[in-house]
């Protein structure tokens, strides 16, 4: 197959075949990153703009490194230091960046649909780096890549996503992507942090209100950050109460499988949703996720620039 998209906006819109295509190409880029000279000339002459209206460490840096490894020119623009603060609209900002010859714009914005709106207005490629609580497709892809490295197959794999589902774009992208590849998803959250209808996003999605009810069957435990900055309603009685009931610690994993893997998109709130003992344990792949983000984002940048999976990077 080939990847014919101008933009990467969500995992909802990708087929299982397209996701597998990106995963295969990401393996090639991971090999490139293991070489003494971790750079290929693939995007020489192309310009990548990181346009971030919300804070980011992992995603922005990872796109910057991915672009540099592909020899692209990189510009970073933060919302707070751009002309947005003088009243310029998102669309006018996007058109201005395109007029400056950007080929790919990576956007993070607090409003769901912001990346789609920009993508439908300009000719440059747009990558959604997180739009409010809607989707974070490149995080979903790097998570799925990391699961594949460790568990090989998705068919019948039991993935449990625990935490603040209501505000989580990462949960939505993972649910769309993993169910398309055949994984079973169990969502564990307080009822107030569960958006209505979440179980209808894909096949094989179950809901539980206690990790203890399903821990014995789980292969992958994906822990979400409690999004303190988005808790505009009173969704949880207190952080202490949330941590006691839903925070993951050694005690809650007593009956877990020996080869359980623990994942988290970061940034982590230690001793709130995850104890340090678990975050730093041999089961934790949190830093592998971060590292894999570079190869996966290289694959995405390369495909949006018109590359194919059978390319030779020697
Ligand atoms: N996982 C993630 O999106 O992290 P950042 O907010 O640091 O980019």
């Amino acid at each position: 197959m080939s990847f014919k998209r101008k933009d990467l906006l969500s995992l909802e819109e990708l087929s299982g075949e397209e996701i597998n295509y990106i995963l295969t190409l990401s393996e090639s880029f991971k090999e490139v990153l293991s070489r003494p000279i971790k750079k290929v000339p693939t995007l020489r002459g192309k310009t990548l703009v990181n346009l971030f209206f919300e804070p980011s460490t992992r995603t922005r840096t990872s796109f910057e490194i991915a672009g540099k490894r592909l020899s692209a020119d990189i510009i970073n623009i933060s919302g707070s230091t751009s002309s947005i603060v003088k009243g310029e609209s998102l669309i006018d900002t996007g058109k201005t960046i395109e007029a400056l010859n950007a080929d790919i714009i990576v956007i993070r914005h607090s409003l769901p649909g912001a990346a789609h709106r920009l993508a439908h207005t300009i000719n440059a490629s747009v990558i959604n780096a997180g739009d409010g609580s809607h989707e974070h497709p490149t995080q979903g892809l790097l998570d799925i890549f990391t699961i594949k490295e460790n568990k090989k197959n998705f068919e019948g794999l039991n993935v449990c996503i625990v935490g603040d589902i209501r505000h989580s774009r990462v949960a939505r992208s993972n649910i769309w992507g993993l169910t398309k590849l055949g994984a079973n998803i169990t969502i564990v959250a307080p009822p107030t942090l569960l958006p209505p209808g979440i179980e209808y996003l894909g096949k094989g999605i179950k809901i539980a209100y206690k990790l203890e009810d399903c821990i014995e069957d789980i292969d992958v435990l994906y822990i979400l950050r409690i999004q303190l900055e988005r808790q505009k309603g009173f969704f949880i009685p207190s952080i202490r109460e949330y941590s006691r009931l839903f925070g993951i610690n050694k005690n809650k994993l007593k009956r877990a499988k020996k080869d359980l893997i623990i994942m988290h998109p970061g940034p982590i709130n230690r001793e709130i949703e995850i104890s340090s003992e678990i975050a730093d344990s041999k089961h934790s792949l949190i830093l592998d996720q971060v590292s894999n983000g570079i190869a996966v984002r290289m694959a995405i940048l390369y495909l949006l620039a018109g590359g194919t999976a059978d390319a030779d990077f020697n």
Side-chain angles (χ1 to χ4, degrees):
M1 74 159 285
S2 57
F3 191 89
K4 293 266 183 254
R5 294 179 182 274
K6 174 176 95 65
D7 312 295
L8 178 67
L9 303 175
S10 70
L11 292 197
E12 177 180 4
E13 69 188 2
L14 294 195
S15 65
E17 199 181 7
E18 285 175 300
I19 294 172
N20 276 320
Y21 193 73
I22 294 170
L23 299 182
T24 302
L25 189 59
S26 302
E27 283 166 22
S28 304
F29 280 113
K30 191 151 181 184
E31 187 279 316
V32 169
L33 292 171
S34 70
R35 296 177 189 169
I37 298 172
K38 304 170 177 46
K39 197 157 177 153
V40 286
T42 321
L43 292 193
R44 196 157 53 197
K46 301 271 185 198
T47 301
L48 167 68
V49 175
N50 275 326
L51 178 60
F52 276 60
F53 295 96
E54 283 190 333
S56 168
T57 299
R58 279 146 284 269
T59 313
R60 196 195 58 73
T61 311
S62 172
F63 267 113
E64 185 167 350
I65 295 172
K68 285 183 172 163
R69 299 284 185 247
L70 292 168
S71 306
D73 297 313
I74 322 287
I75 312 291
N76 289 307
I77 301 175
S78 110
S80 60
T81 54
S82 74
S83 289
I84 289 268
V85 293
K86 300 182 202 164
E88 188 170 61
S89 72
L90 169 64
I91 297 308
D92 285 332
T93 301
K95 285 181 175 171
T96 302
I97 294 169
E98 185 172 51
L100 293 167
N101 277 333
D103 298 288
I104 302 178
I105 300 179
V106 178
I107 177 172
R108 172 171 286 187
H109 201 284
S110 59
L111 288 180
H116 289 71
R117 178 88 174 86
L118 183 62
H120 297 148
T121 312
I122 61 175
N123 293 318
S125 290
V126 173
I127 301 176
N128 181 6
D131 58 332
S133 51
H134 174 230
E135 277 225 38
H136 190 351
T138 63
Q139 178 72 43
L141 287 166
L142 74 88
D143 293 334
I144 291 169
F145 180 81
T146 306
I147 293 172
K148 189 179 176 196
E149 270 191 336
N150 285 273
K151 297 290 180 188
K152 311 299 175 218
N153 293 311
F154 295 100
E155 207 59 54
L157 191 75
N158 292 325
V159 180
C160 174
I161 304 178
V162 59
D164 184 359
I165 312 284
R166 175 182 285 271
H167 300 102
S168 179
R169 52 199 179 204
V170 173
R172 279 173 192 73
S173 288
N174 269 288
I175 292 170
W176 282 117
L178 285 165
T179 53
K180 283 175 190 189
L181 299 180
N184 305 315
I185 307 278
T186 303
I187 293 168
V188 176
T192 48
L193 291 179
L194 267 178
I198 191 82
E199 66 273 35
Y200 302 117
L201 288 195
K203 271 200 221 157
I205 302 174
K206 287 190 278 189
I207 290 180
Y209 297 105
K210 272 163 73 185
L211 185 65
E212 291 84 333
D213 291 344
C214 55
I215 186 64
E216 286 166 12
D217 300 323
I218 295 169
D219 300 298
V220 179
L221 180 59
Y222 197 105
I223 303 166
L224 297 172
R225 181 171 71 88
I226 186 86
Q227 299 202 21
L228 300 168
E229 74 279 22
R230 294 191 216 273
Q231 305 283 341
K232 293 199 178 80
F234 294 97
F235 297 111
I236 49 174
S238 69
I239 293 294
R240 207 161 78 163
E241 180 84 344
Y242 177 85
S243 184
R244 188 173 68 78
L245 294 173
F246 293 94
I248 305 302
N249 54 34
K250 211 171 163 184
N251 201 31
K252 295 228 178 79
L253 300 185
K254 265 186 191 152
R255 291 185 290 113
K257 289 185 180 178
K258 294 271 174 288
D259 61 349
L260 174 75
I261 58 173
I262 306 275
M263 300 175 70
H264 189 303
I268 61 175
N269 294 311
R270 284 176 186 266
E271 312 307 336
I272 297 179
E273 73 265 1
I274 186 168
S275 70
S276 283
E277 199 173 25
I278 297 300
D280 303 329
S281 72
K282 66 178 190 325
H283 296 277
S284 168
L285 299 182
I286 296 171
L287 294 178
D288 300 65
Q289 290 169 258
V290 176
S291 302
N292 283 337
I294 301 172
V296 172
R297 289 178 173 122
M298 284 172 83
I300 293 159
L301 292 172
Y302 170 76
L303 287 174
L304 293 183
T308 56
D310 54 9
D312 182 0
F313 299 111
N314 290 311

